[in-house]
Amino acid sequence: MRQNAIKILLVDDETQFVDTLAERLDMRGFKAEVAYNGTEALEKVRRDAPDVVVLDLRMPGMDGFEVLKQIKKINQQVQVIILTGHGGDQEAVIAGRHGAYSFLRKPADIDTLLDSIRMAYRDKVENAFVAASMAEAGDFASAQEVLAEKDLLRGE
Amino acid sequence: MNDRECAGRLIASTTHELRNVLAVLRETSGLAQDLLACGTPACLEKLPKALTEAGRSVDRISALADSLDWLAQGALGQDETECDLGAAAQAFCRMMARKGKACGITFDNMPPASPPVLTPMNAFAIQLALMDVFDVCEAAGGGVVISMAAGLRDKSSGLTLEARPQSGEQCAALEKLAEFPALTPLPPRWTDRLSLGKTIKRRFWLPLAAARPASIPAESMAECKE
């Protein structure tokens, strides 16, 4: 997997944190855009959808859950990883219910975050392949469900 | 609001802030390691900045630890009869900074008054009084910047609270503060009066010399979105 093929968007109101994280990802061959609030993040998702969004939960203005819901409305294939200093187990469950790929607590190790980003991207690409083969076979409904990340086996 | 709830809210906000600052520290110290490993002149040139930022994060963590210590001392020393009002208010501002940010309430950090203004109140009781003021602002939707200064009026200790809208326009929180029974409105400073009658800064006196000031009913509090 080419690392710089993954389009990453980092969303956090802690500017020092998000800028430094972007710089460290850059040194590892990952290009990451940054947004300092929810509104800015949604504009960037609409303009050029990233593959993976790393999203803080509690931010001034629009909070992370609302941003997550809006991102999924704009583009269901965007994978969202929650990285927060606030959340407990309950927040993790809510985030999962709204379609978050994973839930990490600050301070997270950069390798843990990168593993999560790689896995999220891999799943996104796999979903696209599965959906394409289903569509080729004429099963458009299932293809759409795969793209919407619905688990066909569990019937969700 | 009872003592336990107040302590819980202070600790929750502080923990959230600590996690954020630890995340900054992890990234800035990690960046310093990355730059050292890179070793090129361009990388090494960035090293002092990364280390300075890491040091700044340690200072922020240390200040939060001091504030938690204030809270612990206040909770443990219920019988103590004197407290440095400026330091107690500063501890509150630091601990509630993160929650305030999410709710649109900003604290202008102030240095503790020198010489210290001592009040015959327990440190925890001061946190309770300030939490009531915070709740008034939160219930009104935030959008306010608050600065505090410890002082004396009529030989009684207390805090002068200065509140102004974040966006430069009038905000509901200022009106609600003016109606809050625990606060006494103060006349504007002469420097503020010179600003062509457009003064939207409001000043209040919060007496902190005896029992806890009157609180507003809990049911009128709006919860900040988690």
Side-chain angles (χ1 to χ4, degrees), chain B residues 3-212:
Chain B
D3 292 9
R4 203 169 67 169
E5 187 190 342
C6 178
R9 291 172 64 187
L10 287 164
I11 291 168
S13 177
T14 311
T15 308
H16 186 194
E17 183 70 345
L18 272 172
R19 284 185 174 280
N20 273 314
V21 187
L22 282 169
V24 175
L25 179 59
R26 175 161 257 171
E27 294 312 323
T28 48
S29 59
L31 178 63
Q33 280 181 319
D34 292 348
L35 294 169
L36 269 175
C38 164
T40 65
C43 283
L44 294 176
E45 203 175 292
K46 293 179 186 171
L47 193 56
K49 192 185 167 207
L51 292 172
T52 304
E53 290 300 341
R56 213 171 279 162
S57 299
V58 172
D59 289 344
R60 281 173 71 188
I61 292 167
S62 174
L64 286 167
D66 286 346
S67 302
L68 282 174
D69 199 28
W70 259 99
L71 185 66
Q73 283 179 31
L76 293 171
Q78 296 287 354
D79 299 330
E80 286 173 13
T81 52
E82 276 198 333
C83 174
D84 178 350
L85 195 45
Q90 191 176 58
F92 179 86
C93 294
R94 282 186 186 141
M95 286 189 281
M96 290 303 285
R98 173 55 54 177
K99 170 87 178 186
K101 201 174 176 186
C103 304
I105 301 166
T106 311
F107 296 107
D108 268 354
N109 259 359
M110 73 299 174
S114 182
V117 176
L118 297 176
T119 182
M121 265 179 99
N122 174 273
F124 196 76
I126 297 167
Q127 309 294 324
L128 279 164
L130 290 173
M131 192 64 89
D132 283 343
V133 174
F134 183 95
D135 284 340
V136 171
C137 297
E138 188 186 336
V144 65
V145 181
I146 295 174
S147 58
M148 302 183 204
L152 294 169
R153 288 182 77 82
D154 302 326
K155 294 181 183 171
S156 285
S157 52
L159 288 169
T160 302
L161 269 69
E162 203 169 81
R164 65 175 197 277
Q166 276 181 346
S167 60
E169 291 167 12
Q170 191 61 270
C171 70
L174 262 63
E175 300 310 316
K176 293 291 175 193
L177 285 174
E179 293 164 9
F180 186 45
L183 296 173
T184 308
L186 295 174
R189 284 202 183 90
W190 68 269
T191 45
D192 294 333
R193 283 185 202 154
L194 290 177
S195 58
L196 301 171
K198 288 185 176 174
T199 304
I200 37 178
K201 220 182 254 180
R202 303 284 286 267
R203 295 171 72 231
F204 305 96
W205 175 250
L206 176 63
L208 290 165
R212 184 184 172 197

Side-chain angles (χ1 to χ4, degrees), chain A residues 13-14 16-17 20-21 23-24 27-28 58 60 63 65 85-86 105-110, chain B residues 16 19-20 22-24 26-28 30-31 34-35 38 46 53 60 98-99 101-102 226:
Chain A
D13 62 312
E14 185 78 49
Q16 180 66 43
F17 167 73
T20 312
L21 181 57
E23 192 171 351
R24 293 189 76 199
M27 291 180 85
R28 285 160 175 76
R58 190 182 269 188
D63 81 346
F65 285 126
H86 171 64
R105 284 187 184 86
K106 288 180 182 173
D109 182 72
I110 194 162
Chain B
H16 186 194
R19 284 185 174 280
N20 273 314
L22 282 169
V24 175
R26 175 161 257 171
E27 294 312 323
T28 48
L31 178 63
D34 292 348
L35 294 169
C38 164
K46 293 179 186 171
E53 290 300 341
R60 281 173 71 188
R98 173 55 54 177
K99 170 87 178 186
K101 201 174 176 186
E226 291 296 317

